[in-house]
Amino acid sequence: MTLTVLMNAGPWLSVPPPGYGGIENVIATLVPELRRLGVRVVLASVESSTLPVDEKITVFPDGQFHALQRPYNQVCGVSQAHLSGVVRALHARDDIDLVHDHVEAVGLATLAAMGPDAPPVLHTLHWDLAKHPELYGNLDGGDRVRVNGVSASQLARAPQALRAHSVGHVHLSTPLAVDADRHAPVAKGDHVVILGRINPGKGQDLGARLAQEAGFRLVLAGPVGPYHRPEDLAAAGDEARQNPDVRFFYEQVAPYVDGDRVRWVGTVAGRERDDLVASARASLFPLRWEEPGGTAVVESLSLGTPVVATARGCLPELIEHGRTGLLTGDEQELGDLVLAAGGLEPAECRREAARRFTPARMAQRYVELYDRVRTGAAKPLQPA
Ligand code: UDP
């Protein structure tokens, strides 16, 4: 019998995303593999999503990422409107065997509240689990609602009530990992890259300061709040500073951005992003938070670029110190490690990616978890 999964991607970005978009990238990677395995996928997303699926459920014409800038009540209205569409669909039809949900907080809360007539749910936790103590600390999804993490370290820090619903973790993957071990080497430039949204947890301020102190070229790529291009941020004026990531950028990062040694290039996408990462001496992750899953970490390995990072969150699970990257507990030491990263083998990084982080491997594991959720098996699956 064909398994039909409602994949709830949420209203924020189309799938695949136009540039930045960790969760949407994961869904765009997972769905084709699931369909290859015979799973029917109904995608709950926005109308502009172009990912081939069996059916779509949409409320909004296009990604509402820009609305995240609005006041709390308006942001809530967007996610609630999307979830209402999902609930309406679930009430109206009986062919959905499982909901695979990726919508922070409101997805889990709404689907858990639907009660015993709703299909089983697997909610993937893409976030820092310290964020919603009341929701996670009091979760009761019965046997019907299960969660999975994106790393073991993330789940280890989860509140007990959330952990009781866990069926294990699945590492993130990227299409770039497919045959990464057979790709021709790329010539390395003299730059280091930090790929990710500009945010205190991602630590671009620290990276930029170290670049100035240790004397390496640094490219910062990623959005600042909802602004994808430097000219859009400049045009937005002072009002943009209401966004905390914009304030962080202006106050903590921009003083080091001199357009030469340290550059902010905005969001990069597609080939441009891959070339920027593949030609970098190292990808730097000067983390100040417990990185839950690290899509950009896995992408960097796939592109043959060693990772230099603070040893936080999932980093020690994904990176082998001295082989695929260099990790440290000491922020100040990161600058020295960046200079030492040239001694690591790009081919070793690509081999690791091809072995551990392919879409096929991720999809296989999710199919196993779907089975566990549907049959009510509670014990977490041991790591693959
Ligand atoms: N990304 C991108 N262009 C950018 C910055 C980021 O395409 O300029 C992508 C990056 O390749 C990754 C995702 O956005 O796929 C970020 O996901 P990650 O898990 O690293 O970070 P988070 O979800 O915490 O923002």
Side-chain angles (χ1 to χ4, degrees), residues 19-23 25 126 172 195-197 202 221-223 266-270 273 285 289 291-297 299:
Y20 167 80
I23 294 169
N25 268 334
H126 293 272
L172 300 171
L195 186 75
R197 66 199 147 85
K202 303 274 184 188
T267 299
V268 289
R273 179 198 67 174
F285 295 86
W289 76 326
E291 180 76 37
T295 320
V297 175
E299 289 165 349

Side-chain angles (χ1 to χ4, degrees), residues 36-361:
R36 238 188 298 281
L37 294 171
V39 176
R40 258 189 96 238
V41 176
V42 178
L43 179 69
S45 175
V46 291
E47 193 50 48
S48 57
S49 288
T50 54
L51 185 74
V53 289
D54 296 285
E55 241 182 279
K56 261 198 314 200
I57 295 171
T58 62
V59 171
F60 292 94
D62 45 31
Q64 300 297 301
F65 191 73
H66 56 276
L68 290 169
Q69 177 79 330
R70 294 187 191 147
Y72 160 80
N73 51 347
Q74 292 179 31
V75 176
C76 268
V78 173
S79 48
Q80 298 288 1
H82 174 86
L83 256 298
S84 302
V86 170
V87 171
R88 248 191 326 271
L90 290 174
H91 281 317
R93 53 199 291 172
D94 60 4
D95 63 326
I96 305 294
D97 298 305
L98 179 129
V99 181
H100 187 174
D101 179 60
H102 303 264
V103 180
E104 182 165 358
V106 66
L108 178 62
T110 306
L111 293 164
M114 279 188 78
D117 294 337
V121 173
L122 178 66
H123 172 82
T124 297
L125 299 157
H126 293 272
W127 311 279
D128 169 5
L129 303 184
K131 269 210 260 175
H132 307 292
E134 289 78 15
L135 176 64
Y136 292 159
N138 298 305
L139 182 66
D140 182 4
D143 289 338
R144 190 177 61 83
V145 178
R146 299 281 171 203
V147 301
N148 78 277
V150 288
S151 66
S153 69
Q154 177 205 31
L155 282 178
R157 275 185 285 270
Q160 178 49 35
L162 188 62
R163 249 196 328 236
H165 289 73
S166 163
V167 282
H169 70 274
V170 185
H171 283 144
L172 300 171
S173 85
T174 168
L176 297 169
V178 177
D179 292 337
D181 51 342
R182 284 186 242 156
H183 292 166
V186 171
K188 292 290 183 188
D190 71 345
H191 67 280
V192 169
V193 65
I194 301 181
L195 186 75
R197 66 199 147 85
I198 313 283
N199 170 272
K202 303 274 184 188
Q204 284 90 350
D205 56 328
L206 173 60
R209 175 169 66 76
L210 293 174
Q212 294 292 359
E213 286 173 9
F216 56 86
R217 280 188 190 286
L218 179 65
V219 179
L220 305 173
V224 173
Y227 303 102
H228 290 284
R229 299 183 313 165
E231 52 270 38
D232 295 341
L233 179 61
D238 270 357
E239 212 171 292
R241 290 179 192 248
Q242 285 171 16
N243 182 297
D245 288 344
V246 172
R247 276 202 305 279
F248 166 70
F249 176 73
Y250 277 128
E251 289 166 16
Q252 313 284 336
V253 184
Y256 299 108
V257 177
D258 57 9
D260 177 24
R261 185 165 281 168
V262 180
R263 293 188 296 139
W264 173 50
V265 297
T267 299
V268 289
R271 188 66 198 267
E272 191 192 353
R273 179 198 67 174
D274 297 351
D275 288 347
L276 176 69
V277 175
S279 62
R281 272 201 286 151
S283 286
L284 179 59
F285 295 86
L287 302 171
R288 291 232 182 71
W289 76 326
E290 308 305 332
E291 180 76 37
T295 320
V297 175
V298 168
E299 289 165 349
S300 180
L301 294 183
S302 307
L303 291 163
T305 299
V307 167
V308 174
T310 26
R312 296 189 68 157
C314 63
L315 270 293
E317 266 171 73
L318 304 183
I319 299 299
E320 191 181 321
H321 178 77
R323 189 165 71 86
T324 54
L326 297 170
L327 304 179
T328 176
D330 174 2
E331 288 188 350
Q332 198 56 35
E333 203 198 347
L334 283 173
D336 295 338
L337 295 188
V338 162
L339 301 179
L344 299 176
E345 270 298 321
E348 199 59 39
C349 299
R350 289 203 305 267
R351 259 197 297 280
E352 183 78 337
R355 190 174 69 82
R356 293 180 65 197
F357 303 118
T358 59
R361 199 176 156 105

Side-chain angles (χ1 to χ4, degrees), residues 2-8 26-27 29-35 37-43 96-102 119-124 126 143-148 167-170 359 362-379 381:
T2 311
L3 183 71
T4 300
V5 171
L6 189 153
M7 188 71 63
N8 189 17
V26 170
I27 294 170
T29 303
L30 174 62
V31 166
E33 293 294 327
L34 290 176
R35 295 182 80 215
L37 294 171
V39 176
R40 258 189 96 238
V41 176
V42 178
L43 179 69
I96 305 294
D97 298 305
L98 179 129
V99 181
H100 187 174
D101 179 60
H102 303 264
V121 173
L122 178 66
H123 172 82
T124 297
H126 293 272
D143 289 338
R144 190 177 61 83
V145 178
R146 299 281 171 203
V147 301
N148 78 277
V167 282
H169 70 274
V170 185
M362 175 171 74
Q364 189 54 50
R365 189 138 163 90
Y366 270 116
V367 167
E368 288 163 15
L369 293 195
Y370 294 165
D371 195 47
R372 295 181 70 79
V373 174
R374 292 182 59 235
T375 56
K379 205 162 162 285
L381 195 62

